[in-house]
Amino acid sequence: MKKTLITLIGALCIVATSATMAVATTTAPGSAAKSTVTSALSASSGFAPKCPPAAVVAKALALTLSGSHFTNESGTVECYYTSKGTSVPKANIQWLTYKARATFSSDEKFYKSLGSAVVVTSLGTGVTAFGVPSTFLEFVKGTALCTIKAGVSLAHLEVLAKELLKSYW
């Protein structure tokens, strides 16, 4: 339930969620291209537990991003991407392995009840996804849930999701 609330709040206000999480955010050593999450996500989740480089995220989302930060708490990994000269994230990627399918189902049901959920079918076999235009895209594959938050079009969010599935899953 806690993760569902975090997802809901983040979807409604990226900046507010970023400010709330900033206290727990740790700056990754080295360049964004070398940022990795060293704590283990479940090996059964099927993806490499690392943050994609800021350049990859920026290209997919058509944003100018220059840095990344990450947090890792209780099976939830969050990668934050900022622009030059600011600590306020413009985008974030969250991976959740604890109760991923239940969280996804709950989130999807909630946003469908609001009439804002759009089913996404372009991510391939074994991936279930929905998004809220100009806010976030959430998908589940295997035992992991991924949420991409950024104030960009759903099409751009899908481009990043495909990149994550291809290169980081």
Side-chain angles (χ1 to χ4, degrees), residues 60 123 137 139 148 156-166:
L123 301 182
L137 172 76
F139 66 93
I148 305 168
H156 282 99
L157 295 169
E158 288 180 53
V159 169
L160 180 55
K162 288 175 185 175
E163 181 65 31
L164 295 174
L165 288 162
K166 178 179 76 174

PDB file of all heavy atoms in Angstrom, residues 60 123 137 139 148 156-166:
ATOM      1  N   ALA A  60      15.782   9.248 -25.167  1.00  0.00           N
ATOM      2  CA  ALA A  60      14.463   8.621 -25.285  1.00  0.00           C
ATOM      3  C   ALA A  60      13.335   9.580 -24.939  1.00  0.00           C
ATOM      4  O   ALA A  60      12.284   9.574 -25.573  1.00  0.00           O
ATOM      5  CB  ALA A  60      14.389   7.381 -24.396  1.00  0.00           C
ATOM      6  N   LEU A 123       4.928  -2.759 -25.953  1.00  0.00           N
ATOM      7  CA  LEU A 123       6.184  -3.101 -25.293  1.00  0.00           C
ATOM      8  C   LEU A 123       6.606  -4.549 -25.441  1.00  0.00           C
ATOM      9  O   LEU A 123       7.666  -4.940 -24.957  1.00  0.00           O
ATOM     10  CB  LEU A 123       6.122  -2.717 -23.815  1.00  0.00           C
ATOM     11  CG  LEU A 123       5.869  -1.230 -23.538  1.00  0.00           C
ATOM     12  CD1 LEU A 123       5.866  -0.959 -22.045  1.00  0.00           C
ATOM     13  CD2 LEU A 123       6.883  -0.356 -24.248  1.00  0.00           C
ATOM     14  N   LEU A 137       4.463   6.189 -17.103  1.00  0.00           N
ATOM     15  CA  LEU A 137       4.194   4.902 -17.737  1.00  0.00           C
ATOM     16  C   LEU A 137       4.610   3.843 -16.728  1.00  0.00           C
ATOM     17  O   LEU A 137       5.682   3.947 -16.130  1.00  0.00           O
ATOM     18  CB  LEU A 137       5.006   4.740 -19.022  1.00  0.00           C
ATOM     19  CG  LEU A 137       4.952   3.359 -19.688  1.00  0.00           C
ATOM     20  CD1 LEU A 137       3.622   3.176 -20.403  1.00  0.00           C
ATOM     21  CD2 LEU A 137       6.083   3.195 -20.669  1.00  0.00           C
ATOM     22  N   PHE A 139       4.940  -0.414 -16.167  1.00  0.00           N
ATOM     23  CA  PHE A 139       4.857  -1.731 -16.787  1.00  0.00           C
ATOM     24  C   PHE A 139       5.419  -2.789 -15.862  1.00  0.00           C
ATOM     25  O   PHE A 139       6.224  -2.514 -14.977  1.00  0.00           O
ATOM     26  CB  PHE A 139       5.539  -1.758 -18.158  1.00  0.00           C
ATOM     27  CG  PHE A 139       7.024  -1.551 -18.160  1.00  0.00           C
ATOM     28  CD1 PHE A 139       7.891  -2.640 -18.114  1.00  0.00           C
ATOM     29  CD2 PHE A 139       7.563  -0.280 -18.255  1.00  0.00           C
ATOM     30  CE1 PHE A 139       9.265  -2.461 -18.146  1.00  0.00           C
ATOM     31  CE2 PHE A 139       8.931  -0.083 -18.291  1.00  0.00           C
ATOM     32  CZ  PHE A 139       9.791  -1.176 -18.233  1.00  0.00           C
ATOM     33  N   ILE A 148       8.089   4.854 -15.000  1.00  0.00           N
ATOM     34  CA  ILE A 148       8.874   5.948 -15.561  1.00  0.00           C
ATOM     35  C   ILE A 148       8.032   7.206 -15.417  1.00  0.00           C
ATOM     36  O   ILE A 148       6.916   7.263 -15.936  1.00  0.00           O
ATOM     37  CB  ILE A 148       9.198   5.713 -17.047  1.00  0.00           C
ATOM     38  CG1 ILE A 148       9.896   4.380 -17.252  1.00  0.00           C
ATOM     39  CG2 ILE A 148      10.036   6.872 -17.599  1.00  0.00           C
ATOM     40  CD1 ILE A 148       9.973   3.953 -18.717  1.00  0.00           C
ATOM     41  N   HIS A 156       7.017   9.212 -25.866  1.00  0.00           N
ATOM     42  CA  HIS A 156       8.406   9.284 -25.401  1.00  0.00           C
ATOM     43  C   HIS A 156       8.641   8.323 -24.236  1.00  0.00           C
ATOM     44  O   HIS A 156       9.699   7.694 -24.146  1.00  0.00           O
ATOM     45  CB  HIS A 156       8.768  10.709 -24.984  1.00  0.00           C
ATOM     46  CG  HIS A 156       9.060  11.598 -26.135  1.00  0.00           C
ATOM     47  ND1 HIS A 156       8.131  12.479 -26.634  1.00  0.00           N
ATOM     48  CD2 HIS A 156      10.165  11.731 -26.904  1.00  0.00           C
ATOM     49  CE1 HIS A 156       8.658  13.126 -27.648  1.00  0.00           C
ATOM     50  NE2 HIS A 156       9.893  12.690 -27.841  1.00  0.00           N
ATOM     51  N   LEU A 157       7.662   8.203 -23.339  1.00  0.00           N
ATOM     52  CA  LEU A 157       7.786   7.259 -22.230  1.00  0.00           C
ATOM     53  C   LEU A 157       7.891   5.823 -22.751  1.00  0.00           C
ATOM     54  O   LEU A 157       8.660   5.014 -22.229  1.00  0.00           O
ATOM     55  CB  LEU A 157       6.603   7.404 -21.267  1.00  0.00           C
ATOM     56  CG  LEU A 157       6.504   8.741 -20.526  1.00  0.00           C
ATOM     57  CD1 LEU A 157       5.158   8.856 -19.816  1.00  0.00           C
ATOM     58  CD2 LEU A 157       7.649   8.922 -19.560  1.00  0.00           C
ATOM     59  N   GLU A 158       7.140   5.524 -23.807  1.00  0.00           N
ATOM     60  CA  GLU A 158       7.204   4.189 -24.424  1.00  0.00           C
ATOM     61  C   GLU A 158       8.582   3.930 -25.042  1.00  0.00           C
ATOM     62  O   GLU A 158       9.101   2.808 -24.958  1.00  0.00           O
ATOM     63  CB  GLU A 158       6.123   4.030 -25.487  1.00  0.00           C
ATOM     64  CG  GLU A 158       4.728   3.901 -24.917  1.00  0.00           C
ATOM     65  CD  GLU A 158       3.662   3.751 -25.982  1.00  0.00           C
ATOM     66  OE1 GLU A 158       3.805   2.845 -26.843  1.00  0.00           O
ATOM     67  OE2 GLU A 158       2.702   4.539 -25.975  1.00  0.00           O
ATOM     68  N   VAL A 159       9.177   4.939 -25.649  1.00  0.00           N
ATOM     69  CA  VAL A 159      10.514   4.784 -26.232  1.00  0.00           C
ATOM     70  C   VAL A 159      11.500   4.387 -25.136  1.00  0.00           C
ATOM     71  O   VAL A 159      12.304   3.469 -25.305  1.00  0.00           O
ATOM     72  CB  VAL A 159      10.975   6.070 -26.950  1.00  0.00           C
ATOM     73  CG1 VAL A 159      12.459   6.011 -27.317  1.00  0.00           C
ATOM     74  CG2 VAL A 159      10.129   6.324 -28.190  1.00  0.00           C
ATOM     75  N   LEU A 160      11.439   5.053 -23.993  1.00  0.00           N
ATOM     76  CA  LEU A 160      12.349   4.718 -22.891  1.00  0.00           C
ATOM     77  C   LEU A 160      12.045   3.325 -22.343  1.00  0.00           C
ATOM     78  O   LEU A 160      12.971   2.555 -22.069  1.00  0.00           O
ATOM     79  CB  LEU A 160      12.281   5.763 -21.778  1.00  0.00           C
ATOM     80  CG  LEU A 160      13.204   5.483 -20.589  1.00  0.00           C
ATOM     81  CD1 LEU A 160      14.666   5.312 -21.021  1.00  0.00           C
ATOM     82  CD2 LEU A 160      13.076   6.595 -19.558  1.00  0.00           C
ATOM     83  N   ALA A 161      10.776   2.982 -22.209  1.00  0.00           N
ATOM     84  CA  ALA A 161      10.415   1.644 -21.721  1.00  0.00           C
ATOM     85  C   ALA A 161      10.986   0.566 -22.640  1.00  0.00           C
ATOM     86  O   ALA A 161      11.533  -0.434 -22.164  1.00  0.00           O
ATOM     87  CB  ALA A 161       8.895   1.514 -21.611  1.00  0.00           C
ATOM     88  N   LYS A 162      10.882   0.762 -23.938  1.00  0.00           N
ATOM     89  CA  LYS A 162      11.440  -0.209 -24.892  1.00  0.00           C
ATOM     90  C   LYS A 162      12.952  -0.321 -24.727  1.00  0.00           C
ATOM     91  O   LYS A 162      13.511  -1.412 -24.791  1.00  0.00           O
ATOM     92  CB  LYS A 162      11.079   0.184 -26.327  1.00  0.00           C
ATOM     93  CG  LYS A 162       9.619  -0.029 -26.650  1.00  0.00           C
ATOM     94  CD  LYS A 162       9.289   0.482 -28.046  1.00  0.00           C
ATOM     95  CE  LYS A 162       7.796   0.392 -28.327  1.00  0.00           C
ATOM     96  NZ  LYS A 162       7.448   0.985 -29.624  1.00  0.00           N
ATOM     97  N   GLU A 163      13.627   0.797 -24.530  1.00  0.00           N
ATOM     98  CA  GLU A 163      15.073   0.791 -24.319  1.00  0.00           C
ATOM     99  C   GLU A 163      15.426   0.042 -23.034  1.00  0.00           C
ATOM    100  O   GLU A 163      16.372  -0.740 -23.005  1.00  0.00           O
ATOM    101  CB  GLU A 163      15.611   2.218 -24.274  1.00  0.00           C
ATOM    102  CG  GLU A 163      17.106   2.307 -24.090  1.00  0.00           C
ATOM    103  CD  GLU A 163      17.903   1.732 -25.254  1.00  0.00           C
ATOM    104  OE1 GLU A 163      17.449   1.785 -26.402  1.00  0.00           O
ATOM    105  OE2 GLU A 163      19.025   1.228 -24.995  1.00  0.00           O
ATOM    106  N   LEU A 164      14.691   0.276 -21.979  1.00  0.00           N
ATOM    107  CA  LEU A 164      14.936  -0.423 -20.724  1.00  0.00           C
ATOM    108  C   LEU A 164      14.747  -1.928 -20.889  1.00  0.00           C
ATOM    109  O   LEU A 164      15.564  -2.720 -20.411  1.00  0.00           O
ATOM    110  CB  LEU A 164      14.012   0.093 -19.618  1.00  0.00           C
ATOM    111  CG  LEU A 164      14.207   1.539 -19.185  1.00  0.00           C
ATOM    112  CD1 LEU A 164      13.125   1.943 -18.193  1.00  0.00           C
ATOM    113  CD2 LEU A 164      15.584   1.753 -18.598  1.00  0.00           C
ATOM    114  N   LEU A 165      13.682  -2.308 -21.564  1.00  0.00           N
ATOM    115  CA  LEU A 165      13.405  -3.733 -21.773  1.00  0.00           C
ATOM    116  C   LEU A 165      14.467  -4.384 -22.647  1.00  0.00           C
ATOM    117  O   LEU A 165      14.849  -5.538 -22.429  1.00  0.00           O
ATOM    118  CB  LEU A 165      12.017  -3.923 -22.382  1.00  0.00           C
ATOM    119  CG  LEU A 165      10.873  -3.663 -21.414  1.00  0.00           C
ATOM    120  CD1 LEU A 165       9.569  -3.430 -22.165  1.00  0.00           C
ATOM    121  CD2 LEU A 165      10.739  -4.810 -20.424  1.00  0.00           C
ATOM    122  N   LYS A 166      14.962  -3.651 -23.628  1.00  0.00           N
ATOM    123  CA  LYS A 166      15.964  -4.191 -24.550  1.00  0.00           C
ATOM    124  C   LYS A 166      17.352  -4.271 -23.908  1.00  0.00           C
ATOM    125  O   LYS A 166      18.048  -5.277 -24.031  1.00  0.00           O
ATOM    126  CB  LYS A 166      16.031  -3.309 -25.806  1.00  0.00           C
ATOM    127  CG  LYS A 166      17.075  -3.742 -26.831  1.00  0.00           C
ATOM    128  CD  LYS A 166      17.063  -2.847 -28.050  1.00  0.00           C
ATOM    129  CE  LYS A 166      17.732  -1.542 -27.682  1.00  0.00           C
ATOM    130  NZ  LYS A 166      17.925  -0.634 -28.796  1.00  0.00           N
TER     131      LYS A 166
END
